[in-house]
Amino acid sequence: MSIVQVSGEGQRRTFDGSQVQSIAEQVFSAMIDDDPSALVLWAGLFPDLEDSMDAWVDVTGPWTGRVALTTELTTAHDLSRALLGMGPEEPVGDDDVADAFGEVANVVGGNVKTLLTEVGRLGLPQVADAAPPMAGTVLHELRMAWRGRPLAVIVTAAE
């Protein structure tokens, strides 16, 4: 995985994909599953996501970019149920999914932002069928499995 170097205010910081992976694993373990093995790197060929849902936060400041999570809609619903302490078959509304999945992206994004620079702003979390395009470079695309289901964490640097 590539290493990103960010300079600003006399400071230089670096981060790599393993740090993003560690952040995602810690966030999921703390917020969703008390089990650190519930979110792991995907083994094998990552499947095409059917009926996908994205949650993302944009970072602005000396470094501008986006931290996004993408998964299938059913997984986003199950993730929301787990975060909200709901039963596995309990109905979850669209607003609850947007709030819960967005909050997970917000916490992952906020932790990634601390790797980049102390100066900068984290935008409000957004959730949609697809994140709007961002011109830039994908720095890290971590293909992961949450409870055996595909979930990607993508860090993009804006142009």
Side-chain angles (χ1 to χ4, degrees), residues 1-150:
M1 290 187 202
S2 63
I3 294 178
V4 178
Q5 295 187 348
V6 179
S7 298
E9 303 291 322
Q11 297 179 359
R12 183 176 203 104
R13 296 183 185 255
T14 60
F15 78 95
D16 62 33
S18 67
Q19 289 171 294
V20 176
Q21 176 185 342
S22 178
I23 285 170
E25 289 169 348
Q26 290 172 19
V27 167
F28 272 69
S29 179
M31 291 179 70
I32 300 163
D33 287 304
D34 292 329
D35 177 7
S37 68
L39 182 71
V40 297
L41 286 177
W42 187 268
L45 185 64
F46 197 74
D48 291 331
L49 299 179
E50 307 234 352
D51 199 19
S52 66
M53 176 168 268
D54 294 352
W56 70 94
V57 291
D58 290 334
V59 179
T60 57
W63 182 86
T64 300
R66 174 175 291 158
V67 178
L69 280 66
T70 187
T71 192
E72 292 178 328
L73 181 61
T74 57
T75 303
H77 278 242
D78 288 344
L79 191 151
S80 299
R81 283 186 194 92
L83 179 64
L84 298 171
M86 300 169 74
E89 299 301 321
E90 195 171 341
V92 60
D94 292 342
D95 289 342
D96 287 334
V97 173
D99 288 346
F101 194 35
E103 184 58 20
V104 174
N106 189 47
V107 175
V108 172
N111 280 280
V112 169
K113 182 181 86 78
T114 66
L115 297 176
L116 297 167
T117 179
E118 293 176 22
V119 180
R121 264 190 35 234
L122 193 65
L124 294 174
Q126 306 291 316
V127 178
D129 294 340
M134 172 177 265
T137 303
V138 173
L139 302 176
H140 301 292
E141 182 173 342
L142 296 173
R143 294 171 178 179
M144 305 190 82
W146 176 68
R147 296 183 180 177
R149 297 184 190 165

